[in-house]
């Protein structure tokens, strides 16, 4: 029979068996939805994290003390005993470097901040006056540290939005004294509410000059050095120069690790791609389940319609006609299920995005053709066996089948 | 030449350990335009004979010439084509597709015919199906589903389906078995009319009342056949 006619026939057969067809389609709908939604989650997460990274500034170079041989690692643990970065290193970089626009030594540690009225557990971040050039935070009141603040190790602090709120409420904070780990600091600046910036909640951080932070933690070992290249294209030169300067100061030994935006993005991408693949694998399994569902129902359908097959064969249908009929039915079911699955997942993600613009899990368009093709091929793969079974039923037995 | 020509037909079945000789050396010629009945008790071999005549089953031995062609050498596809073009089946339980309208049921054999003969268009199929339904007196029931029709009407749909491809032979297996006597009479009259227009009709039945209305009766018993021609009907 001509293809078009079988298509019409199978569409009729599907409509005639609404419930059964709907249940079969459901497997495919869920399978395709799983594929699209899980891939969307994967790429959405990747998009989110990538944009977070880029908001940090793309020229950032991070130097951590210690060295691991592994490429692309996120840096060694902080407590690595080998290698040490000090303020002298920072000064050398500031003095000699041609390619860096800003350099700051940084300290990081937990602490307590107190006023007469309130206490707050916070993170203390030591940084110099150039730090804000590297990380681009917006100061809402006052200013970031000056060079004098840093050089003379003044006890001044720039505080995050949440800390200001919890310590001072709606009152003024600028110029007030706060106790950072029992040492008095004067508030000179307040950072605008920023939220999470890569694991740190900037709003919960108290920034103090590097020198005072070293004094506070009673050490000369920096947590690390942060620098920014003059231009994005100058990254490689900046990294080379920075390495050379530090190596010279460290007796030719490269006892530090440089992490740039690029290497961080690369390792992050590796993780995120793995995540996407893992999700895709899960989605593939649900597709498989959907396919097996189709096969099940088609096998039931073949048994149920044994007599119909007998009748069709008696009035002149060839084996190939029966085969085509059941194959096309399976494909029509799976493809309709696939299209519905695509439509529903688009509807869900776009609706979510409409009401929660921050929650962007809209599927990437490249997933749509493969999702559609997968539903098509699932129909074929899992339709073959039932269709072959149908085609090889003996006509006389089929006509007598009750 | 005879339309149906069976030569030394044997049919064996294996039922577990037991070998059943369902047809034992059947020789039979039926000419075009005959009205024949095959009678016999259940297990006599009459259904097997009908299945072989209808190309639904193949003989174990012997040769079957249908319209001059040796069907024992045909492929499965050829047999399908021959069933489609030469034979119309009518069954005791009607065997209509339950979810298709009377019209769709009648169109079905022609849909398959159109795959063998590309000249058959959808328009022709529709026209022939409607004409044939009219011929069996069902022009007002065209869009009804089988379960919306009475037994007699269903059998008329089945007959229309058997007729739609203009077959040479109508093979009816207990066509009145599920019908009351009045309706049976109507169906039988319809077969008589079709026969008068030239179609060869073969009715398989265990009802001697129907067999007695046929000019030729083939009595089956234990795989053997007795051929008798009645002068008086």
């Amino acid at each position: 029979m001509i293809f078009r006619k079988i298509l019409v026939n199978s569409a009729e057969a599907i409509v005639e068996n609404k419930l059964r067809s709907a249940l079969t389609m459901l497997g495919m709908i869920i399978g395709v939805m799983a594929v699209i939604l899980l891939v969307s989650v994967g790429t959405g997460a990747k998009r989110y994290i990538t944009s977070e990274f880029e908001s940090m500034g793309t020229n950032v170079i991070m130097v951590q003390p210690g060295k691991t041989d592994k490429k692309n690692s996120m840096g060694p643990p902080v407590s690595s005993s080998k290698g040490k970065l000090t303020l002298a290193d920072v000064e050398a970089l500031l003095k000699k470097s041609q390619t860096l626009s800003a350099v700051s030594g940084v300290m990081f540690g937990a602490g307590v901040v107190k006023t007469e009225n309130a206490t707050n557990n916070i993170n203390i971040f030591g940084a110099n006056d150039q730090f804000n050039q590297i990380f681009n935070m917006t100061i809402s009141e006052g200013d970031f540290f000056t060079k004098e603040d840093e050089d003379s190790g003044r006890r001044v602090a720039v505080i995050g939005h949440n800390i200001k709120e919890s310590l001072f409420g709606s009152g003024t904070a600028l110029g007030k004294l706060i106790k950072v780990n029992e040492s008095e600091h004067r508030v000179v600046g307040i950072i605008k509410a920023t939220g999470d910036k890569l694991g740190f909640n900037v709003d919960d951080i108290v920034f103090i000059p590097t020198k005072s932070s070293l004094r506070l933690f009673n050490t000369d070992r920096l947590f690390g050095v942060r620098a920014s290249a003059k231009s994005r294209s100058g990254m490689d030169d900046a990294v080379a120069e920075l390495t050379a300067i530090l190596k010279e100061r460290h007796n030719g030994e490269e006892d530090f690790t440089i992490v740039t935006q690029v290497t961080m993005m690369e390792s992050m991408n590796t993780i995120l791609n793995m995540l996407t693949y893992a999700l895709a694998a899960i989605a593939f399994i649900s597709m498989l389940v959907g396919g097996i569902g189709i096969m099940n129902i088609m096998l039931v359908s073949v048994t149920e319609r044994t007599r119909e097959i007998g009748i069709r064969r008696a009035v002149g249908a060839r084996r190939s006609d029966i085969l085509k009929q059941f194959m096309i039915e399976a494909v029509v079911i799976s493809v309709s299920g696939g299209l519905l699955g695509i439509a529903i997942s688009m509807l869900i993600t776009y609706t979510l995005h409409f009401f929660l613009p921050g929650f962007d899990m809209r599927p990437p368009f490249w997933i749509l053709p493969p999702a559609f093709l997968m539903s098509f091929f699932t129909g074929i793969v899992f339709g073959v066996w039932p269709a072959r079974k149908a085609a090889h039923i003996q006509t006389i037995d089929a006509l007598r089948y009750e | 030449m005879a339309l149906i020509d069976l030569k030394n037909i044997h049919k064996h079945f294996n039922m577990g350990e037991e070998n059943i000789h369902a047809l034992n050396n059947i020789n039979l010629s039926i000419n075009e335009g005959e009205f024949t009945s095959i009678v016999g008790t259940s297990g006599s071999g009459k259904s097997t004979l009908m299945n072989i005549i209808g190309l639904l089953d193949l003989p174990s031995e012997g040769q079957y010439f249908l319209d001059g062609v040796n069907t024992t050498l045909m492929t499965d596809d050829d047999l399908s084509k021959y069933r489609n073009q030469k034979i119309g089946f009518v069954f005791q339980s009607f065997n209509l597709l339950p979810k298709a309208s009377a019209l769709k049921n009648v169109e079905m054999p022609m849909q398959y015919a159109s795959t063998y003969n590309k000249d058959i268009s959808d328009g022709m199929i529709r026209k022939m199906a409607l004409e044939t339904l009219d011929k069996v007196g069902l022009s007002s029931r065209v869009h009804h589903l089988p379960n919306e029709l009475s037994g007699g009407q269903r059998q008329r749909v089945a007959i229309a389906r058997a007729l739609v491809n203009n077959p040479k032979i109508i093979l009816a297996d207990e066509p009145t078995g599920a019908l009351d006597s009045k309706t049976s009479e109507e169906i039988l009259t319809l077969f008589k009319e079709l026969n008068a227009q030239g179609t060869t009709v073969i009715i398989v039945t265990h009802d001697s009342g129907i067999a007695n209305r046929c000019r030729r009766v083939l009595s089956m018993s234990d795989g053997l056949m007795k051929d008798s021609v009645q002068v008086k009907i």
Side-chain angles (χ1 to χ4, degrees):
Chain A
M1 213 181 290
I2 311 165
F3 183 76
R4 183 180 55 82
K5 277 186 188 166
I6 311 181
L7 204 64
V8 171
N9 278 356
S10 51
E12 277 170 3
I14 288 164
V15 173
E16 280 160 11
N17 298 290
K18 284 185 198 68
L19 183 66
R20 191 179 61 196
S21 312
L23 286 174
T24 318
M25 266 181 216
L26 199 62
M28 198 35 60
I29 291 172
I30 292 172
V32 168
M33 274 176 63
V35 170
I36 293 180
L37 292 180
L38 290 176
V39 169
S40 301
V41 167
T43 52
K46 194 171 157 182
R47 188 162 50 211
Y48 171 77
I49 291 171
T50 307
S51 74
E52 281 288 293
F53 262 94
E54 279 175 354
S55 74
M56 251 175 59
T58 44
N59 301 349
V60 177
I61 301 168
M62 305 185 193
V63 190
Q64 299 295 124
K67 180 79 188 171
T68 49
D69 294 327
K70 240 170 76 188
K71 284 268 179 197
N72 283 348
S73 79
M74 299 278 284
V78 189
S79 59
S80 166
S81 57
K82 193 167 178 289
K84 179 173 166 185
L85 290 168
T86 61
L87 276 180
D89 289 323
V90 175
E91 269 152 31
L93 286 171
L94 282 169
K95 205 159 75 188
K96 292 183 189 167
S97 160
Q98 309 290 317
T99 56
L100 300 172
S101 60
V103 182
S104 169
V106 293
M107 273 308 290
F108 189 72
V112 181
V113 64
K114 277 185 202 163
T115 59
E116 278 156 23
N117 308 318
T119 306
N120 213 345
N121 291 310
I122 43 91
N123 289 314
I124 300 166
F125 203 101
N128 71 6
D129 54 297
Q130 299 198 354
F131 185 76
N132 203 27
Q133 274 171 259
I134 306 169
F135 276 91
N136 293 322
M137 294 174 297
T138 314
I139 310 293
S140 59
E141 287 176 62
D143 263 312
F144 207 71
F145 319 127
T146 61
K147 193 164 174 352
E148 283 143 38
D149 290 334
E150 169 65 22
D151 288 347
S152 56
R154 263 182 212 151
R155 292 206 185 102
V156 289
V158 173
I159 61 178
H161 177 78
N162 286 351
I163 294 167
K164 188 255 169 187
E165 290 286 304
S166 64
L167 295 182
F168 301 100
S170 54
T172 50
L174 223 53
K176 296 272 171 66
L177 287 174
I178 53 172
K179 273 188 174 172
V180 181
N181 284 9
E182 302 304 325
S183 153
E184 272 189 337
H185 285 69
R186 188 172 299 278
V187 178
V188 294
I190 294 153
I191 298 162
K192 198 180 158 219
T194 314
D196 274 325
K197 248 188 173 183
L198 249 132
F200 299 113
N201 188 346
V202 174
D203 300 342
D204 287 330
I205 290 178
V206 169
F207 290 90
I208 57 176
T210 333
K211 264 191 187 155
S212 15
S213 68
L214 287 173
R215 198 165 54 220
L216 201 68
F217 292 114
N218 192 24
T219 178
D220 62 345
R221 181 195 291 271
L222 286 169
F223 175 77
V225 173
R226 300 290 178 266
S228 62
K230 278 183 176 152
S231 71
R232 198 171 185 174
S233 53
M235 271 306 260
D236 289 345
D237 291 339
V239 169
E241 190 192 42
L242 189 145
T243 309
I245 294 168
L246 287 184
K247 234 172 138 175
E248 195 195 327
R249 283 187 43 79
H250 291 217
N251 304 322
E253 204 182 337
E254 197 174 327
D255 55 356
F256 50 88
T257 303
I258 294 176
V259 180
T260 62
Q261 200 72 29
V262 179
T263 57
M264 277 175 80
M265 288 277 270
E266 272 169 5
S267 55
M268 212 60 205
N269 273 340
T270 315
I271 294 168
L272 290 168
N273 284 338
M274 285 306 292
L275 175 78
T276 307
Y277 295 148
L279 291 177
I282 293 168
F284 183 75
I285 290 168
S286 62
M287 203 79 173
L288 206 69
V289 173
I292 291 169
I294 286 186
M295 187 163 70
N296 257 320
I297 302 278
M298 288 310 290
L299 282 171
V300 171
S301 172
V302 167
T303 311
E304 226 177 65
R305 288 156 71 189
T306 302
R307 194 182 265 259
E308 175 190 328
I309 294 163
I311 297 166
R312 287 181 182 276
R313 293 279 281 135
V315 304
R318 282 160 291 204
R319 286 211 166 107
S320 57
D321 293 324
I322 303 294
L323 183 88
K324 279 183 219 157
Q325 184 191 338
F326 279 88
M327 279 297 290
I328 289 176
E329 249 184 76
V331 171
V332 166
I333 287 179
S334 65
V335 163
S336 331
L339 288 176
L340 269 172
I342 290 175
I344 295 172
S345 37
M346 297 288 266
L347 193 73
I348 291 174
T349 48
Y350 274 79
T351 310
L352 268 176
H353 181 66
F354 181 76
F355 289 109
L356 305 162
F359 188 80
D360 189 4
M361 292 296 166
R362 286 175 297 174
F365 280 98
W366 62 258
I367 188 64
L368 302 184
F372 176 78
L373 284 178
M374 264 167 92
S375 69
F376 177 76
F377 284 112
T378 309
I380 289 191
V381 169
F382 291 97
V384 167
W385 188 36
R388 280 181 58 89
K389 205 183 151 202
H392 284 88
I393 289 176
Q394 289 298 319
T395 313
I396 30 174
D397 301 335
L399 281 169
R400 284 197 215 107
Y401 187 85
E402 292 297 331
Chain B
M1 200 207 289
L3 178 60
I4 291 167
D5 203 354
L6 300 182
K7 290 190 167 138
N8 310 104
I9 295 286
H10 290 263
K11 183 70 182 178
H12 305 277
F13 288 114
N14 281 314
M15 300 277 277
E17 296 284 292
E18 208 179 346
N19 191 304
I20 294 168
H21 205 167
L23 294 179
N24 190 353
N25 200 29
I26 303 290
N27 283 286
L28 169 65
S29 280
I30 297 175
N31 288 315
E32 203 157 353
E34 282 197 62
F35 197 97
T36 311
S37 67
I38 303 173
V39 295
T41 54
S42 125
S44 62
K46 65 179 195 300
S47 292
T48 310
L49 182 60
M50 196 206 91
N51 287 337
I52 286 175
I53 293 174
L55 299 176
L56 294 170
D57 203 358
L58 293 171
S60 311
E61 282 172 53
Q63 289 182 315
Y64 170 23
F65 293 86
L66 175 61
D67 212 8
V69 182
N70 189 351
T71 62
T72 28
L73 302 173
M74 283 181 171
T75 64
D76 194 69
D77 280 6
D78 288 336
L79 291 171
S80 299
K81 185 178 171 184
Y82 254 59
R83 283 199 297 272
N84 185 253
Q85 296 179 339
K86 308 268 183 195
I87 302 164
F89 291 95
V90 178
F91 302 96
Q92 178 178 6
S93 51
F94 322 130
N95 273 343
L96 298 174
L97 300 185
K99 284 167 180 169
S101 67
L103 183 64
K104 290 271 175 202
N105 267 290
V106 176
E107 280 181 347
M108 187 177 62
M110 272 199 97
Q111 299 281 11
Y112 289 111
S114 71
T115 66
Y116 301 110
N117 178 359
K118 303 290 178 204
D119 292 338
I120 299 174
S121 69
D122 285 3
M124 282 166 73
I125 293 174
R126 180 57 50 96
K127 187 165 161 278
M128 271 303 289
L130 288 169
E131 273 178 28
T132 316
L133 277 164
D134 189 41
K135 201 168 167 181
V136 299
L138 281 180
S139 46
S140 61
R141 292 282 186 276
V142 167
H143 296 295
H144 286 63
L145 292 177
N147 62 12
E148 296 163 346
L149 299 170
S150 71
Q153 286 170 335
R154 285 184 216 181
Q155 198 57 300
R156 281 166 191 274
V157 174
I159 292 170
R161 183 181 64 191
L163 285 175
V164 76
N165 274 341
N166 267 320
K168 296 212 161 179
I169 307 160
I170 293 279
L171 264 181
D173 187 5
E174 303 276 8
T176 58
L179 303 174
D180 62 50
S181 55
K182 184 173 167 285
T183 322
S184 300
E185 194 54 45
E186 285 169 17
I187 294 294
L188 209 60
T189 309
L190 186 56
F191 280 129
K192 284 279 185 190
E193 282 168 23
L194 296 172
N195 181 240
Q197 289 161 25
T199 313
T200 309
V201 176
I202 301 170
I203 299 176
V204 177
T205 183
H206 64 268
D207 182 345
S208 52
I210 290 169
N212 287 338
R213 308 264 309 265
C214 301
R215 187 174 162 75
R216 189 177 179 191
V217 177
L218 308 168
S219 314
M220 293 297 299
S221 174
D222 290 331
L224 296 163
M225 190 188 74
K226 195 179 109 219
D227 198 345
S228 60
V229 176
Q230 308 179 49
V231 185
K232 257 190 170 182
I233 310 170

